[in-house]
């Protein structure tokens, strides 16, 4: 294999640049040419390619986002869009493709693999909802961003004796809420995987109040409810002043943590190794401290198990 491409697709995640750097430099070390594809699969359709060299990935390991930009492409899902992408791949002479993103990005990689393009996936999503990997690129940074924000919010929550609801990302996955909630000692963690009632939340707040606790921090995953709706209900039931903060896209940005940089570098290097050995339609994961290679089809048919033990521990520690 002499010429490969790399793209980032879907939502951006801190650490993607570290993965791009690892893919480009590992490929060049192994005698390959590397082309960056701008704006994900839309770039494949539009022929938005740029040749990468050692200098093009210099000084990016510490930067958030993705230098290749990212986008979602509905056209790529159509037969016409796929045909355009394949023609551009053939015209450029790409023999392999590294796709960094989530399950939607991997669906595109699978379709390309079926049509003869060697593809390797690298999980990059702050939601950490990809199965067959303990961590996806960007998750650790997102959790640390939330924890940093909550540390500051606690100062004013204590000063004004208020209940604060911090709404974090996670429409279908409560991982950011769970891990950040444990790390910052939240009194309540609300996630889409675990049903709850407002009365249960209020009872916990009142229990704390009766033992002298005058403020409370609630971490709410967006898929478990809307922060302002939950806040109004809590105030109506308890009478306590309640404030809501939606962290939003703040969680996607920022300098990636050391963990995310190292994880991304290892996954990027492994992706090139797999392409060099002739493998395709695989994802590089991280399980129990080691790199694990899994068929991409398995990723789409499996579901990542929610860490119920950690959730139960969080409830115990917040009594």
């Amino acid at each position: 294999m002499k010429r490969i491409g790399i793209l980032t697709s879907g939502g951006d995640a801190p650490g993607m640049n570290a993965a791009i750097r690892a893919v480009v430099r590992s490929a060049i070390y192994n005698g390959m040419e590397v082309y960056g594809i701008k704006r994900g699969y839309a770039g494949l359709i539009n022929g938005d390619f740029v040749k990468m060299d050692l200098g093009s990935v210099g000084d990016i390991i510490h930067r958030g986002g993705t230098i290749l930009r990212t986008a979602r492409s509905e056209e790529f899902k159509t037969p016409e869009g796929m045909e355009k992408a394949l023609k551009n791949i053939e015209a450029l002479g790409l023999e392999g493709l590294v796709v960094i993103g989530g399950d939607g990005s991997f669906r595109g990689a699978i379709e390309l693999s079926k049509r003869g393009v060697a593809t390797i996936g690298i999980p990059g999503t702050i939601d950490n909802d990809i199965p067959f990997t303990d961590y996806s690129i960007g998750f650790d940074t997102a959790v640390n961003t939330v924890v940093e924000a909550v540390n500051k919010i606690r100062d004013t929550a204590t000063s004004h004796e208020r209940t604060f609801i911090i709404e974090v990302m996670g429409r279908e996955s409560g991982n950011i809420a769970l891990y950040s909630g444990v790390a910052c000692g939240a009194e309540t963690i609300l996630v889409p995987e675990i049903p709850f009632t407002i009365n249960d939340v209020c009872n916990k707040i009142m229990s704390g109040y009766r033992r002298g606790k005058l403020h409370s921090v609630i971490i709410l995953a967006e898929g478990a409810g809307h922060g302002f709706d939950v806040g109004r209900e809590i105030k109506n039931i308890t009478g306590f002043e309640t404030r809501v903060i939606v962290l939003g896209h703040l969680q996607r940005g920022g300098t990636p943590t050391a963990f995310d940089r190292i994880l991304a570098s290892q996954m990027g290097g492994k992706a090139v190794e797999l392409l060099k050995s002739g493998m395709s339609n695989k994802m590089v994961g991280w399980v129990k401290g080691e790199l694990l290679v899994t068929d991409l089809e398995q990723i789409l048919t499996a579901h990542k198990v929610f860490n119920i033990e950690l959730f139960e521990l969080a409830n115990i520690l917040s009594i």
Side-chain angles (χ1 to χ4, degrees):
M1 188 165 290
K2 295 297 183 183
R3 185 175 291 178
I4 66 172
I6 179 172
L7 63 82
T8 51
S9 175
D12 63 307
M16 281 184 166
N17 281 328
I20 293 169
R21 173 180 179 269
V23 169
V24 170
R25 293 196 170 180
S26 295
I28 291 174
Y29 177 84
N30 284 282
M32 302 179 192
E33 291 183 340
V34 190
Y35 282 81
I37 299 152
K38 296 288 190 72
R39 300 173 182 86
Y41 291 114
L44 270 184
I45 293 173
N46 299 324
D48 194 359
F49 304 140
V50 57
K51 187 172 183 180
M52 311 289 283
D53 56 29
L54 296 176
S56 64
V57 292
D59 201 34
I60 68 168
I61 193 171
H62 62 287
R63 291 168 55 186
T66 162
I67 62 168
L68 293 177
R69 310 292 184 263
T70 184
R72 292 179 171 87
S73 175
E74 292 300 318
E75 185 180 2
F76 184 73
K77 300 175 184 179
T78 67
E80 296 78 13
M82 175 63 71
E83 187 62 28
K84 288 179 183 178
L86 289 171
K87 285 182 178 179
N88 286 328
I89 290 172
E90 183 179 0
L92 190 60
L94 296 182
E95 302 168 79
L97 183 66
V98 177
V99 175
I100 306 171
D103 55 0
S105 305
F106 293 161
R107 292 180 192 278
I110 290 171
E111 292 304 314
L112 288 171
S113 181
K114 290 177 180 179
R115 292 161 174 79
V117 181
T119 57
I120 301 294
I122 295 177
T125 166
I126 65 170
D127 288 334
N128 199 34
D129 58 353
I130 304 297
F132 299 102
T133 185
D134 292 340
Y135 298 101
S136 56
I137 295 169
F139 174 66
D140 186 68
T141 304
V143 168
N144 277 279
T145 297
V146 174
V147 171
E148 183 180 355
V150 174
N151 288 343
K152 296 175 181 179
I153 291 166
R154 269 199 185 277
D155 293 340
T156 190
T158 303
S159 299
H160 290 273
E161 301 178 347
R162 286 173 177 161
T163 296
F164 271 79
I165 299 172
I166 295 93
E167 183 180 312
V168 301
M169 284 184 165
R171 284 192 298 272
E172 298 177 1
S173 169
N175 285 321
I176 293 177
L178 173 60
Y179 283 76
S180 63
V182 171
C184 69
E187 283 72 26
T188 302
I189 301 171
L190 304 176
V191 296
E193 292 90 345
I194 307 294
F196 68 92
T197 68
I198 290 297
N199 283 333
D200 289 338
V201 175
C202 292
N203 287 338
K204 195 168 189 179
I205 294 172
M206 294 301 297
S207 175
Y209 178 77
R210 283 191 291 270
R211 64 179 175 82
K213 191 172 183 63
L214 301 178
H215 74 278
S216 184
V217 171
I218 299 170
I219 306 293
L220 169 71
E222 61 182 332
H226 297 291
F228 290 98
D229 293 339
V230 173
R232 277 192 293 270
E233 292 186 68
I234 289 175
K235 184 176 181 181
N236 290 338
I237 294 173
T238 66
F240 294 154
E241 283 289 332
T242 305
R243 295 290 183 268
V244 179
I245 296 176
V246 180
L247 294 184
H249 286 77
L250 177 72
Q251 297 157 87
R252 288 198 185 278
T255 299
T257 60
F259 180 85
D260 270 331
R261 298 183 203 189
I262 295 168
L263 178 68
S265 297
Q266 290 180 285
M267 287 181 169
K270 186 66 174 181
V272 172
E273 179 186 317
L274 294 176
L275 285 176
K276 183 183 177 184
S277 66
M279 298 186 76
S280 177
N281 205 29
K282 306 290 184 183
M283 184 198 79
V284 181
W286 182 260
V287 178
K288 296 180 179 178
E290 296 182 352
L291 293 172
L292 177 73
V293 178
T294 308
D295 290 340
L296 279 175
E297 279 92 349
Q298 285 187 262
I299 308 301
L300 301 186
T301 56
H303 180 74
K304 186 157 188 169
V305 178
F306 184 72
N307 193 337
I308 187 66
E309 291 184 5
L310 186 60
F311 183 82
E312 291 174 348
L313 175 62
N315 284 331
I316 292 171
L317 299 182
S318 62
I319 59 173

